[in-house]
Amino acid sequence: MNRRSLLLAAGAVGVTTAVGGAAAAIAADDPEAGRTQRPMLTWELTGGFVPAGWSALRAPRLVAYDDGVLIADAQQRLRVGAGEIRSLRNHATTVLRDPANARRRQGAPMIADVPSTVFTARTNGRKFSLQFEGLEETRRDRAYPAAAYALLDHCAQLRDRINRSGTAFHPDAVRAIVVLLDAAQPTATTVQPWPAGVPVPHFRKDEFVTQLDLRDRQARALMRAVPRPEQPQWPVFKLPDGRRAQLNWRFLLPHE
C-alpha cells in the first residue's frame, strides 16, 4: 500500500470512528421516494482500513427491491415472492425506526479499523437508516441490542441464499474506480495502454481517486479490458498524459 493509500484509508477509519460509537439514525421523508428503482432495503459496509479506491468499489452486500428482486454483492440476483419482501420490510423498519438499536452497550470493547454496517429501509415515502461500527465483529461481545444482530442474520441468510441459488447479475453498466500511482512507485504488473473505448478520467487538483459510471458500449469496452475485477492486484494502465493508474470495476445496481 503506497502513501496515498494509507492516507485515504486513515481518513476512512477516522470517519468511522467519529460516528460509529453512537446511534446514527435517519428517519425522514424520502426525497427519492418517487423513483421506481429505489431499493426497499440496502445492507452496506463503509469505512474500515482498506487500500485507496476499495471503499468506492465495495458493492452493497444486499439490495432488495419492491418487485422482489434481491441482488447480492452486485454479482448475483434472485427474485422472491411478495410475502418475503413484506416480511423483510417489516422486520427492517421495526429495527431501524428505533435509534436505541444502534447504541453500543456500555463497556463493550472497541475494535480498531473495522468497517461499519449500514442498514437502510424505505417504506411509505419514509426512509430509516442506522449505522453500527463493527456489527459482525462484536457479535460475540453483544455490543449492540439483539435486534441489530437479528436483522443482520435475516439479511445474511438471504445473501447466502442468493449466492447459492441465484443467477449471475451482468448488466451492461459498471462503476470504474481509477487510482493514480506515484510517479516513482514500481508496479508488479505490466503497464498497459489506456483501454480503447473507455473515457479518460479527469482528476481535480490533489485528487488521486476518481469514479466513472459507464453504460452500454463504454461498459463493454471496460469489461473486455479488465475481465476479472475481483483480482486483488488491480491492473495498471498508462493514461494519455503519461501517468499510470490502477483500474478496477463492479457492476452498477439498477438504482445507481
Side-chain angles (χ1 to χ4, degrees):
M1 186 183 299
N2 60 26
R3 178 174 175 271
R4 285 176 171 172
S5 300
L6 287 168
L7 287 172
L8 188 65
V13 172
V15 170
T16 301
T17 303
V19 301
I26 298 174
D29 292 333
D30 184 2
E32 299 171 329
R35 295 188 186 179
T36 58
Q37 284 295 317
R38 294 308 299 174
M40 180 274 291
L41 177 133
T42 56
W43 168 25
E44 302 173 274
L45 294 182
T46 65
F49 193 81
V50 292
W54 280 91
S55 290
L57 191 67
R58 183 162 48 194
R61 289 194 160 193
L62 175 68
V63 179
Y65 296 92
D66 284 313
D67 62 359
V69 171
L70 308 179
I71 301 175
D73 307 305
Q75 293 182 349
Q76 294 286 117
R77 72 187 297 274
L78 180 72
R79 187 182 292 275
V80 299
E84 196 158 2
I85 286 292
R86 183 166 55 251
S87 174
L88 179 60
R89 179 191 291 110
N90 291 342
H91 186 184
T93 53
T94 297
V95 174
L96 300 179
R97 70 172 62 246
D98 185 358
N101 286 323
R103 296 194 185 110
R104 293 176 60 89
R105 174 176 59 79
Q106 187 173 4
M110 300 291 293
I111 305 175
D113 301 339
V114 295
S116 290
T117 293
V118 180
F119 292 114
T120 301
R122 291 178 168 86
T123 182
N124 297 324
R126 302 276 287 176
K127 181 171 71 172
F128 303 90
S129 185
L130 289 175
Q131 179 167 324
F132 310 80
E133 184 180 1
L135 182 63
E136 296 177 74
E137 295 81 0
T138 59
R139 174 190 291 276
R140 185 175 179 180
D141 299 307
R142 299 178 182 177
Y144 292 97
Y149 297 108
L151 180 58
L152 175 65
D153 288 342
H154 191 164
C155 292
Q157 288 165 7
L158 284 173
R159 178 174 177 257
D160 290 344
R161 179 175 154 201
I162 298 164
N163 286 324
R164 184 176 61 251
S165 58
T167 58
F169 175 69
H170 285 168
D172 283 347
V174 301
R175 171 161 295 169
I177 304 299
V178 188
V179 182
L180 280 178
L181 296 176
D182 290 325
Q185 181 180 346
T187 60
T189 61
T190 302
V191 180
Q192 307 171 59
W194 186 255
V198 177
V200 177
H202 297 284
F203 296 86
R204 295 189 296 269
K205 183 179 179 181
D206 298 326
E207 183 181 57
F208 57 90
V209 179
T210 194
Q211 170 181 308
L212 300 172
D213 285 353
L214 309 175
R215 289 175 170 81
D216 302 324
R217 184 179 300 176
Q218 293 177 343
R220 293 190 292 271
L222 177 58
M223 287 187 276
R224 286 193 298 269
V226 186
R228 295 181 301 277
E230 71 278 2
Q231 56 194 341
Q233 183 65 47
W234 292 16
V236 179
F237 293 89
K238 187 175 183 180
L239 297 170
D241 63 7
R243 293 181 295 176
R244 296 168 304 144
Q246 293 178 314
L247 170 66
N248 215 331
W249 60 270
R250 70 163 174 85
F251 289 112
L252 276 173
L253 293 163
H255 66 278
E256 293 181 316

mmCIF file of all heavy atoms in Angstrom, residues 158-179:
data_model
loop_
_atom_site.group_PDB
_atom_site.id
_atom_site.type_symbol
_atom_site.label_atom_id
_atom_site.label_comp_id
_atom_site.label_asym_id
_atom_site.label_seq_id
_atom_site.Cartn_x
_atom_site.Cartn_y
_atom_site.Cartn_z
ATOM 1 N N LEU A 158 -30.445 -14.300 3.564
ATOM 2 C CA LEU A 158 -30.889 -14.002 2.202
ATOM 3 C C LEU A 158 -29.704 -13.913 1.249
ATOM 4 O O LEU A 158 -29.749 -14.443 0.136
ATOM 5 C CB LEU A 158 -31.677 -12.689 2.189
ATOM 6 C CG LEU A 158 -33.106 -12.734 2.728
ATOM 7 C CD1 LEU A 158 -33.688 -11.332 2.811
ATOM 8 C CD2 LEU A 158 -33.989 -13.630 1.854
ATOM 9 N N ARG A 159 -28.646 -13.253 1.699
ATOM 10 C CA ARG A 159 -27.442 -13.121 0.850
ATOM 11 C C ARG A 159 -26.858 -14.495 0.526
ATOM 12 O O ARG A 159 -26.493 -14.770 -0.625
ATOM 13 C CB ARG A 159 -26.420 -12.243 1.551
ATOM 14 C CG ARG A 159 -25.100 -12.066 0.803
ATOM 15 C CD ARG A 159 -24.244 -11.048 1.532
ATOM 16 N NE ARG A 159 -22.943 -10.881 0.928
ATOM 17 C CZ ARG A 159 -21.809 -11.407 1.404
ATOM 18 N NH1 ARG A 159 -21.850 -12.155 2.514
ATOM 19 N NH2 ARG A 159 -20.654 -11.190 0.807
ATOM 20 N N ASP A 160 -26.771 -15.353 1.523
ATOM 21 C CA ASP A 160 -26.246 -16.703 1.287
ATOM 22 C C ASP A 160 -27.124 -17.464 0.292
ATOM 23 O O ASP A 160 -26.617 -18.188 -0.579
ATOM 24 C CB ASP A 160 -26.172 -17.476 2.601
ATOM 25 C CG ASP A 160 -25.093 -16.952 3.533
ATOM 26 O OD1 ASP A 160 -24.214 -16.202 3.058
ATOM 27 O OD2 ASP A 160 -25.140 -17.278 4.735
ATOM 28 N N ARG A 161 -28.422 -17.288 0.427
ATOM 29 C CA ARG A 161 -29.347 -17.976 -0.484
ATOM 30 C C ARG A 161 -29.192 -17.476 -1.915
ATOM 31 O O ARG A 161 -29.215 -18.269 -2.875
ATOM 32 C CB ARG A 161 -30.770 -17.751 0.019
ATOM 33 C CG ARG A 161 -31.864 -18.386 -0.820
ATOM 34 C CD ARG A 161 -33.181 -18.167 -0.120
ATOM 35 N NE ARG A 161 -34.312 -18.161 -1.015
ATOM 36 C CZ ARG A 161 -35.492 -17.612 -0.734
ATOM 37 N NH1 ARG A 161 -35.660 -17.018 0.441
ATOM 38 N NH2 ARG A 161 -36.475 -17.650 -1.595
ATOM 39 N N ILE A 162 -29.032 -16.169 -2.079
ATOM 40 C CA ILE A 162 -28.840 -15.607 -3.417
ATOM 41 C C ILE A 162 -27.562 -16.151 -4.042
ATOM 42 O O ILE A 162 -27.537 -16.560 -5.209
ATOM 43 C CB ILE A 162 -28.776 -14.067 -3.357
ATOM 44 C CG1 ILE A 162 -30.081 -13.489 -2.826
ATOM 45 C CG2 ILE A 162 -28.489 -13.485 -4.741
ATOM 46 C CD1 ILE A 162 -29.966 -12.043 -2.369
ATOM 47 N N ASN A 163 -26.474 -16.159 -3.266
ATOM 48 C CA ASN A 163 -25.198 -16.637 -3.796
ATOM 49 C C ASN A 163 -25.211 -18.136 -4.056
ATOM 50 O O ASN A 163 -24.458 -18.628 -4.904
ATOM 51 C CB ASN A 163 -24.067 -16.282 -2.830
ATOM 52 C CG ASN A 163 -23.722 -14.812 -2.860
ATOM 53 O OD1 ASN A 163 -23.765 -14.175 -3.903
ATOM 54 N ND2 ASN A 163 -23.381 -14.240 -1.709
ATOM 55 N N ARG A 164 -26.088 -18.859 -3.359
ATOM 56 C CA ARG A 164 -26.158 -20.306 -3.529
ATOM 57 C C ARG A 164 -27.058 -20.695 -4.700
ATOM 58 O O ARG A 164 -26.728 -21.615 -5.467
ATOM 59 C CB ARG A 164 -26.673 -20.944 -2.231
ATOM 60 C CG ARG A 164 -26.711 -22.465 -2.238
ATOM 61 C CD ARG A 164 -27.144 -23.014 -0.883
ATOM 62 N NE ARG A 164 -28.488 -22.577 -0.512
ATOM 63 C CZ ARG A 164 -28.757 -21.702 0.447
ATOM 64 N NH1 ARG A 164 -27.767 -21.134 1.140
ATOM 65 N NH2 ARG A 164 -30.006 -21.362 0.727
ATOM 66 N N SER A 165 -28.197 -20.007 -4.871
ATOM 67 C CA SER A 165 -29.179 -20.473 -5.851
ATOM 68 C C SER A 165 -29.623 -19.397 -6.837
ATOM 69 O O SER A 165 -30.510 -19.646 -7.655
ATOM 70 C CB SER A 165 -30.412 -21.045 -5.139
ATOM 71 O OG SER A 165 -30.996 -20.072 -4.282
ATOM 72 N N GLY A 166 -29.021 -18.204 -6.772
ATOM 73 C CA GLY A 166 -29.402 -17.145 -7.702
ATOM 74 C C GLY A 166 -28.710 -17.276 -9.049
ATOM 75 O O GLY A 166 -27.985 -18.241 -9.310
ATOM 76 N N THR A 167 -28.963 -16.313 -9.912
ATOM 77 C CA THR A 167 -28.328 -16.272 -11.232
ATOM 78 C C THR A 167 -27.389 -15.070 -11.305
ATOM 79 O O THR A 167 -27.505 -14.121 -10.530
ATOM 80 C CB THR A 167 -29.386 -16.164 -12.342
ATOM 81 O OG1 THR A 167 -30.178 -14.978 -12.121
ATOM 82 C CG2 THR A 167 -30.300 -17.376 -12.337
ATOM 83 N N ALA A 168 -26.476 -15.123 -12.258
ATOM 84 C CA ALA A 168 -25.478 -14.063 -12.393
ATOM 85 C C ALA A 168 -26.149 -12.735 -12.743
ATOM 86 O O ALA A 168 -27.077 -12.674 -13.548
ATOM 87 C CB ALA A 168 -24.464 -14.429 -13.458
ATOM 88 N N PHE A 169 -25.675 -11.673 -12.114
ATOM 89 C CA PHE A 169 -26.144 -10.311 -12.394
ATOM 90 C C PHE A 169 -25.085 -9.636 -13.252
ATOM 91 O O PHE A 169 -24.004 -9.303 -12.765
ATOM 92 C CB PHE A 169 -26.355 -9.562 -11.074
ATOM 93 C CG PHE A 169 -26.718 -8.112 -11.233
ATOM 94 C CD1 PHE A 169 -27.954 -7.744 -11.757
ATOM 95 C CD2 PHE A 169 -25.832 -7.110 -10.853
ATOM 96 C CE1 PHE A 169 -28.295 -6.395 -11.904
ATOM 97 C CE2 PHE A 169 -26.163 -5.771 -10.986
ATOM 98 C CZ PHE A 169 -27.399 -5.418 -11.514
ATOM 99 N N HIS A 170 -25.376 -9.464 -14.563
ATOM 100 C CA HIS A 170 -24.385 -8.959 -15.504
ATOM 101 C C HIS A 170 -24.980 -7.880 -16.411
ATOM 102 O O HIS A 170 -25.140 -8.092 -17.609
ATOM 103 C CB HIS A 170 -23.824 -10.089 -16.382
ATOM 104 C CG HIS A 170 -22.856 -10.971 -15.671
ATOM 105 N ND1 HIS A 170 -22.425 -12.177 -16.175
ATOM 106 C CD2 HIS A 170 -22.222 -10.827 -14.489
ATOM 107 C CE1 HIS A 170 -21.572 -12.736 -15.338
ATOM 108 N NE2 HIS A 170 -21.443 -11.930 -14.306
ATOM 109 N N PRO A 171 -25.324 -6.709 -15.890
ATOM 110 C CA PRO A 171 -25.827 -5.635 -16.757
ATOM 111 C C PRO A 171 -24.687 -5.001 -17.549
ATOM 112 O O PRO A 171 -23.510 -5.138 -17.186
ATOM 113 C CB PRO A 171 -26.412 -4.641 -15.754
ATOM 114 C CG PRO A 171 -25.545 -4.809 -14.546
ATOM 115 C CD PRO A 171 -25.231 -6.277 -14.478
ATOM 116 N N ASP A 172 -25.032 -4.332 -18.615
ATOM 117 C CA ASP A 172 -24.034 -3.550 -19.367
ATOM 118 C C ASP A 172 -23.896 -2.180 -18.720
ATOM 119 O O ASP A 172 -24.126 -1.132 -19.331
ATOM 120 C CB ASP A 172 -24.461 -3.400 -20.829
ATOM 121 C CG ASP A 172 -24.215 -4.671 -21.623
ATOM 122 O OD1 ASP A 172 -23.505 -5.561 -21.113
ATOM 123 O OD2 ASP A 172 -24.733 -4.783 -22.743
ATOM 124 N N ALA A 173 -23.543 -2.187 -17.452
ATOM 125 C CA ALA A 173 -23.395 -0.946 -16.686
ATOM 126 C C ALA A 173 -22.419 -1.226 -15.555
ATOM 127 O O ALA A 173 -22.614 -2.172 -14.783
ATOM 128 C CB ALA A 173 -24.743 -0.490 -16.126
ATOM 129 N N VAL A 174 -21.363 -0.416 -15.465
ATOM 130 C CA VAL A 174 -20.311 -0.667 -14.479
ATOM 131 C C VAL A 174 -19.883 0.629 -13.806
ATOM 132 O O VAL A 174 -20.044 1.726 -14.357
ATOM 133 C CB VAL A 174 -19.075 -1.344 -15.120
ATOM 134 C CG1 VAL A 174 -19.436 -2.667 -15.763
ATOM 135 C CG2 VAL A 174 -18.422 -0.414 -16.134
ATOM 136 N N ARG A 175 -19.321 0.481 -12.618
ATOM 137 C CA ARG A 175 -18.692 1.587 -11.899
ATOM 138 C C ARG A 175 -17.189 1.317 -11.872
ATOM 139 O O ARG A 175 -16.748 0.325 -11.283
ATOM 140 C CB ARG A 175 -19.235 1.723 -10.489
ATOM 141 C CG ARG A 175 -18.474 2.721 -9.611
ATOM 142 C CD ARG A 175 -19.317 3.149 -8.420
ATOM 143 N NE ARG A 175 -20.489 3.895 -8.882
ATOM 144 C CZ ARG A 175 -21.528 4.215 -8.104
ATOM 145 N NH1 ARG A 175 -21.537 3.842 -6.836
ATOM 146 N NH2 ARG A 175 -22.550 4.899 -8.597
ATOM 147 N N ALA A 176 -16.423 2.173 -12.515
ATOM 148 C CA ALA A 176 -14.967 2.029 -12.562
ATOM 149 C C ALA A 176 -14.332 2.957 -11.540
ATOM 150 O O ALA A 176 -14.753 4.103 -11.378
ATOM 151 C CB ALA A 176 -14.446 2.357 -13.953
ATOM 152 N N ILE A 177 -13.327 2.448 -10.846
ATOM 153 C CA ILE A 177 -12.550 3.242 -9.904
ATOM 154 C C ILE A 177 -11.123 3.301 -10.425
ATOM 155 O O ILE A 177 -10.517 2.274 -10.757
ATOM 156 C CB ILE A 177 -12.572 2.624 -8.494
ATOM 157 C CG1 ILE A 177 -14.014 2.453 -8.013
ATOM 158 C CG2 ILE A 177 -11.772 3.489 -7.531
ATOM 159 C CD1 ILE A 177 -14.799 3.736 -7.908
ATOM 160 N N VAL A 178 -10.606 4.520 -10.515
ATOM 161 C CA VAL A 178 -9.257 4.746 -11.049
ATOM 162 C C VAL A 178 -8.421 5.414 -9.963
ATOM 163 O O VAL A 178 -8.833 6.425 -9.390
ATOM 164 C CB VAL A 178 -9.293 5.641 -12.312
ATOM 165 C CG1 VAL A 178 -7.910 5.695 -12.966
ATOM 166 C CG2 VAL A 178 -10.333 5.121 -13.308
ATOM 167 N N VAL A 179 -7.243 4.832 -9.692
ATOM 168 C CA VAL A 179 -6.356 5.334 -8.643
ATOM 169 C C VAL A 179 -5.011 5.672 -9.265
ATOM 170 O O VAL A 179 -4.324 4.790 -9.792
ATOM 171 C CB VAL A 179 -6.159 4.289 -7.518
ATOM 172 C CG1 VAL A 179 -5.261 4.854 -6.418
ATOM 173 C CG2 VAL A 179 -7.499 3.843 -6.946
#
